[in-house]
């Protein structure tokens, strides 16, 4: 995985430690910038109120009230939590320009962010996030 721009990750582990902690699919997506198949992820249609966190390090990333129906096959959010929860960097793989989203805490791959697609959200952004990259902590209540 290429290093993210900006500060060094706060959580640093060897590739051997990441492999021991994560399932093969989690490792592929989080540490090798892979992508899960569309419409197969655990959180694609989830409506549960709570906070989504990085599956690799537990850092809080998105709130459920920013999740929206994009019908793209992956969970979509219109904004991350403030304070550097995520880092965005240009991704020119696959012969196109995209913006990769990584965890601001451990620099694990989460997905990509797209803009200008016409969704009626406050930001006109779609953070397209792999379910396997996140966990949901339901709100108490």
């Amino acid at each position: 995985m290429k290093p993210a721009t900006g500060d060094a990750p706060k959580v640093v582990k060897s590739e051997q430690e990441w492999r021991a902690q994560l399932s093969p699919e989690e490792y592929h997506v989080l540490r090798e910038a892979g992508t899960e198949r569309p419409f197969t992820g655990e959180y694609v249609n989830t409506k549960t109120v709570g906070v989504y966190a990085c599956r690799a390090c537990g850092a809080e990333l998105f709130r459920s009230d920013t999740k929206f129906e994009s019908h793209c096959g992956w969970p979509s959010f219109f904004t991350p939590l403030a304070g550097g929860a995520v880092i965005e960097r240009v991704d020119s793989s696959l012969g196109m320009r995209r913006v990769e989203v990584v965890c601001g805490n451990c620099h694990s791959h989460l997905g990509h962010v797209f803009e200008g697609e016409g969704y009626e959200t406050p930001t006109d952004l779609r953070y397209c996030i792999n379910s396997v990259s996140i966990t949901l902590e339901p709100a108490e209540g």
Side-chain angles (χ1 to χ4, degrees):
M1 185 166 141
K2 359 171 235 214
T5 58
D7 295 332
K10 294 171 189 72
V11 173
V12 178
K13 296 183 181 188
S14 69
E15 293 309 306
Q16 183 178 6
E17 289 172 310
W18 285 122
R19 284 185 188 277
Q21 173 187 330
L22 303 169
S23 73
E25 182 184 20
E26 291 167 350
Y27 182 87
H28 174 65
V29 173
L30 288 157
R31 304 307 305 166
E32 298 177 324
T35 302
E36 67 192 0
R37 290 179 303 138
F39 300 103
T40 62
E42 175 181 7
Y43 301 120
V44 174
N45 298 310
T46 301
K47 306 269 192 256
T48 305
V49 174
V51 176
Y52 290 87
C54 176
R55 191 176 297 262
C57 74
E60 293 185 352
L61 304 169
F62 300 93
R63 295 211 183 282
S64 60
D65 61 0
T66 68
K67 188 172 187 281
F68 69 100
E69 294 288 333
S70 67
H71 308 286
C72 70
W74 294 272
S76 296
F77 303 86
F78 61 79
T79 192
L81 291 172
V86 302
I87 296 170
E88 298 174 13
R89 62 183 180 197
V90 174
D91 173 5
S92 298
S93 66
L94 304 178
M96 64 181 99
R97 184 190 183 282
R98 299 182 295 171
V99 178
E100 180 184 19
V101 178
V102 299
C103 173
N105 197 47
C106 70
H107 293 193
S108 289
H109 175 78
L110 303 171
H112 291 86
V113 60
F114 303 94
E115 64 181 319
E117 296 178 314
Y119 290 104
E120 297 205 14
T121 62
T123 63
D124 200 21
L125 297 172
R126 176 173 59 94
Y127 286 82
C128 183
I129 306 299
N130 292 285
S131 286
V132 74
S133 295
I134 54 178
T135 59
L136 173 60
E137 181 63 39
E140 294 181 21

